[in-house]
Every structure is written in C-alpha cells, then in structure tokens.
C-alpha cells in the first residue's frame, strides 16, 4: 500500500505555501535576512509545533512567515515545496498564498507573487509539474482590506487562478466577504473558501450560497446537516480534506474517527491534502498513508480519491484528461 500511494499520480488541492516552511529553511532565511527568531535552534522551533486549536497554530504560522522578505525567499520556499511534490508523484498542485500576511509587513505584492510564480515556472520546466495559484483573503481582517488586496493583485491577474478565504473561521463568516468575492469573480478569479473546519454547517451554507464557491476547503462540519450534504452533492462540489491537519488542530481526536470514509459513502467527492505540511507532521503522501491505515481504505478508495484530485482541480479538460488517463493506467497495472 505504501508504494502504491508513493507512485500514485496525484494532485494537491489544499496547500498553503506559508505552511510548507520547514524549520531548517526558516532558520536559513531568517539568518540571511538578519532576523532573530524567538527559538534557539531548529529542534526548539520544531518542538513549538504543538497546537490545541486552529488559533494556536495560526499564531505560530504568521510568526514564521515574518522572515520572508525578498523575492528569492518566496522562490526558495515554493521551489522547496515543489521538489517535495516531484518526490511524491504530485503532478499538479493548486497553491494558496496569503498576500496580506506579507503586505501588512511592508513587503510588496509584486515581491510575493513574482517569487512564488517563478518557482512554479521552474518546476514546470524541471519536473513537468503544473501549478495554479490561489490568492487567499485573511478572514480575521476586514472586507475593506481584502478589497485592497484585490486591487493590488490586478496587475498580476494572469498569474492567479482563484481566490480563497482562510485564517480564523469562528466569528468571521463567509457573509463578511460577500462583496469582495463578487468583485473578484467579476475580475475572472474562481471563488474557493475554507468552510466548516472550525465553523459549523451554517458557514458552509453561506460559502456555497453567498460566495458561490466551486470547491470547499475542509468542509468537515457539513456532516452536521443532512440537507447541506444533499445540496453539496447536487452542486457537485468537492471537499479538500486534510487528515493530519484535522488531527493536529483537534478537529478530530483520533484519525480512526475521521469522517472521510463516511463522506465517500454518502456520495461526497473528497480529496486528500496536506494543508500546512511543515506544521502538521506530513506531506501529502503521509496524509494518504495515515488515513488509509486509520480507516482501512482499499486501493479502489485511494484510486477514487486521486481521481477526484484531478477531476475537481481547476485544470482545463485536456490536461485533466491526460492526468486521468495516466492515473487509470497506473491503477490498472497496480491494483
Ligand atoms: N491558514 C493556513 N492553514 C489554515 C487552516 N487549516 N485553516 C484556516 N486558515 C489556515
Ligand atoms: Zn487550509
């Protein structure tokens, strides 16, 4: 099973680039930018990665991102992630980035986007990996601030595929961002959002009805509402599930209690992703392995999840089909 997962062609659809910041690289970049981290060693920093809830994690995550200053820093962070994609047979990835985490520190939007997108271009050339970028608005900030980010992004519109909504969910419902999502869609961005990770099913309703999202990031709490489940299936929206993130942030107490298999049985389309791999103890393949083992998933289940990862990607039909054919051939000879 481990080698079946390792060699399986797959796509990653829920990944925050700032969440891929491994302690070693963080120390290296902090040093070259002459920034002092409040930890004396890589080991001490890694030890701080113990969280009791989403907010606990977010505080450390924003602190880590604070050492990213130059375009090269964003390039190094992104290229390091894409190297790991290549090692795990990730063929396509849809990368979220949080511009406001950086622009609020005086880093220009241009610096951030150019560093990240140059790394994705190099990964396409060097590894054949395709990538899309998702610009995420921070929901703990105001809608007015999100509008400012939308304006900042416009000169770089050709480099950005979609918008997302992340950060502290409770108390920051999707309805708060209704106008900026509408304006972003008019600019050609595809709407996506985190919903139902920390917030309840009502937040998922708002995200699908008021923001018109095309895919649900997490969505675990959708299961609280049968009518919502029916609606998600009817609208053919996929859920980007992040098992090790759910475990680390106490969305579930034990992976054996994770609702992923139940979701599949209900007819929901799920994918498996790493969210913030540097913080949650595993890249995408480790997420596949952990959930497979906890829920006793079959090769057929794993194949279905990988299939969803391409089908519910934002890729154009031609590339999607190319990947799906490659995956089907893999399954046929390795089932
Ligand atoms: N930003 C990075 N990871 C996140 C998560 N799991 N939920 C909300 N915001 C995030
Ligand atoms: Zn996330």
């Amino acid at each position: 099973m481990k080698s079946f997962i390792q060699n399986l062609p797959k796509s990653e659809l829920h990944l925050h680039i700032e969440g891929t910041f491994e302690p070693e690289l963080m120390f290296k970049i902090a040093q070259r930018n002459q920034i002092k981290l409040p930890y004396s060693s890589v080991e001490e920093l890694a030890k701080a990665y113990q969280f009791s809830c989403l907010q606990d994690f977010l505080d450390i995550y924003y602190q880590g991102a604070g050492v990213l200053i130059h375009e090269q820093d964003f390039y190094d962070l992104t290229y390091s992630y894409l190297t790991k994609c290549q090692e795990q047979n990730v063929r396509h990835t849809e990368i979220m980035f949080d511009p406001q985490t950086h622009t609020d520190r005086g880093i220009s939007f241009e610096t951030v986007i150019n560093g990240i997108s140059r790394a994705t271009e190099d990964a396409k050339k060097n590894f054949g990996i395709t990538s899309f970028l998702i610009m995420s608005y921070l929901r703990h900030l105001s809608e007015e601030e999100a509008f400012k980010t939308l304006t900042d992004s416009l000169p770089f519109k050709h480099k950005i595929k979609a918008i997302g909504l992340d950060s502290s969910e409770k108390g920051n419902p999707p309805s708060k961002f209704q106008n900026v999502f509408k304006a972003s869609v008019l600019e050609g961005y595809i709407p996506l959002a985190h919903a139902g990770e920390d917030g309840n099913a009502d937040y998922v309703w708002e995200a699908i009805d008021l923001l018109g999202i095309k895919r649900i990031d997490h969505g675990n709490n959708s299961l609280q509402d049968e009518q919502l489940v029916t609606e998600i299936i009817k609208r053919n929206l996929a859920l980007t599930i992040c098992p090790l993130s759910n475990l680390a942030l106490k969305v579930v107490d034990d992976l054996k209690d994770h609702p992923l298999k139940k979701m599949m049985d209900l007819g929901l389309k799920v994918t498996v992703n790493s969210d913030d791999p540097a913080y949650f103890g595993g890249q995408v393949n480790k997420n596949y392995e952990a959930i497979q083992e906890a829920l006793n998933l079959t090769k057929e289940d794993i194949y279905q999840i990988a299939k969803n990862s391409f089908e519910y990607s934002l890729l154009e039909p031609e590339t999607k089909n190319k990947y799906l054919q490659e995956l089907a051939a893999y399954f046929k000879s390795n089932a």
Side-chain angles (χ1 to χ4, degrees):
M1 189 55 89
K2 197 173 163 156
S3 78
F4 176 72
I5 289 171
Q6 165 58 31
N7 297 316
L8 183 78
K10 62 187 75 68
S11 158
E12 178 152 56
L13 303 182
H14 186 150
L15 180 282
H16 302 262
I17 201 62
E18 292 88 353
T20 68
F21 214 171
E22 296 291 342
E24 291 77 11
L25 185 61
M26 194 184 289
F27 261 86
K28 190 174 145 191
I29 293 180
Q31 220 159 28
R32 100 187 163 198
N33 289 340
Q34 295 173 329
I35 292 171
K36 199 157 165 35
L37 285 166
Y39 305 96
S40 61
S41 65
V42 167
E43 292 72 28
E44 200 187 308
L45 173 59
K47 252 191 235 153
Y49 293 180
Q50 300 280 343
F51 317 107
S52 60
C53 61
L54 175 61
Q55 194 56 51
D56 236 27
F57 152 70
L58 289 169
D59 294 342
I60 287 200
Y61 161 89
Y62 294 129
Q63 179 189 72
V67 309
L68 298 161
I69 308 284
H70 304 289
E71 186 187 310
Q72 190 62 38
D73 303 339
F74 291 93
Y75 175 94
D76 289 348
L77 177 68
T78 309
Y79 200 76
S80 165
Y81 163 65
L82 290 161
T83 303
K84 294 194 177 78
C85 284
Q86 196 237 355
E87 291 162 1
Q88 299 179 92
N89 279 298
V90 174
R91 295 279 189 278
H92 173 74
T93 176
E94 305 194 344
I95 302 176
M96 282 181 256
F97 69 109
D98 293 339
Q100 290 157 299
T101 299
H102 314 296
T103 52
D104 282 4
R105 302 180 286 115
I107 313 297
S108 74
F109 192 98
E110 183 178 12
T111 298
V112 178
I113 190 88
N114 285 350
I116 297 174
S117 71
R118 188 158 56 82
T120 64
E121 285 157 21
D122 285 353
K124 174 86 174 53
K125 267 187 270 168
N126 299 340
F127 310 136
I129 297 173
T130 49
S131 310
F132 287 143
L133 300 184
I134 303 167
M135 169 174 83
S136 292
Y137 299 126
L138 295 180
R139 68 202 305 159
H140 67 272
L141 301 178
S142 67
E143 186 179 53
E144 195 186 337
E145 287 165 289
F147 263 112
K148 163 90 176 54
T149 300
L150 171 61
T151 306
D152 286 350
S153 77
L154 295 181
F156 309 97
K157 211 157 102 170
H158 56 290
K159 293 177 185 265
I160 301 166
K161 188 82 176 172
I163 50 158
L165 186 63
D166 62 3
S167 192
S168 325
E169 189 178 3
K170 268 189 198 143
N172 296 298
S175 50
K176 181 177 159 187
F177 296 92
Q178 222 173 314
N179 298 313
V180 76
F181 264 65
K182 204 171 186 179
S184 305
V185 169
L186 285 174
E187 294 294 349
Y189 296 132
I190 297 170
L192 310 172
H194 284 53
E197 176 190 25
D198 220 12
N200 61 26
D202 292 348
Y203 279 31
V204 183
W205 273 117
E206 281 195 11
I208 65 172
D209 278 346
L210 304 181
L211 306 185
I213 60 169
K214 303 296 178 209
R215 199 163 69 204
I216 303 167
D217 287 321
H218 296 295
N220 298 45
N221 290 337
S222 306
L223 293 185
Q224 294 168 346
D225 183 336
E226 256 178 57
Q227 207 189 330
L228 175 60
V229 170
T230 307
E231 196 58 31
I232 292 171
I233 295 168
K234 197 165 114 196
R235 296 192 203 183
N236 196 24
L237 301 172
L239 274 58
T240 61
I241 300 294
C242 307
L244 292 176
S245 163
N246 291 162
L247 188 63
L249 301 184
K250 315 272 191 285
V251 172
V252 294
D253 292 328
D254 191 315
L255 274 189
K256 288 193 170 23
D257 304 326
H258 197 284
L260 178 132
K261 181 69 175 127
K262 185 174 176 205
M263 289 168 166
M264 293 177 82
D265 293 343
L266 286 168
L268 287 164
K269 305 296 181 184
V270 303
T271 62
V272 165
N273 310 273
S274 68
D275 204 4
D276 301 284
Y279 293 90
F280 301 147
Q283 306 291 325
V284 65
N285 281 1
K286 198 158 174 200
N287 276 271
Y288 270 82
E289 283 171 26
I291 200 71
Q292 184 281 321
E293 204 180 328
L295 304 181
N296 218 357
L297 300 179
T298 62
K299 280 187 175 178
E300 179 72 43
D301 294 328
I302 297 293
Y303 171 55
Q304 188 57 54
I305 293 168
K307 214 165 139 182
N308 290 343
S309 81
F310 292 118
E311 263 168 16
Y312 293 87
S313 72
L314 305 175
L315 283 164
E316 62 287 359
E318 203 179 299
T319 318
K320 212 182 256 192
N321 287 334
K322 182 191 86 173
Y323 287 134
L324 283 167
Q325 277 169 20
E326 186 194 348
L327 174 65
Y330 175 82
F331 184 60
K332 204 169 159 210
S333 49
N334 294 277

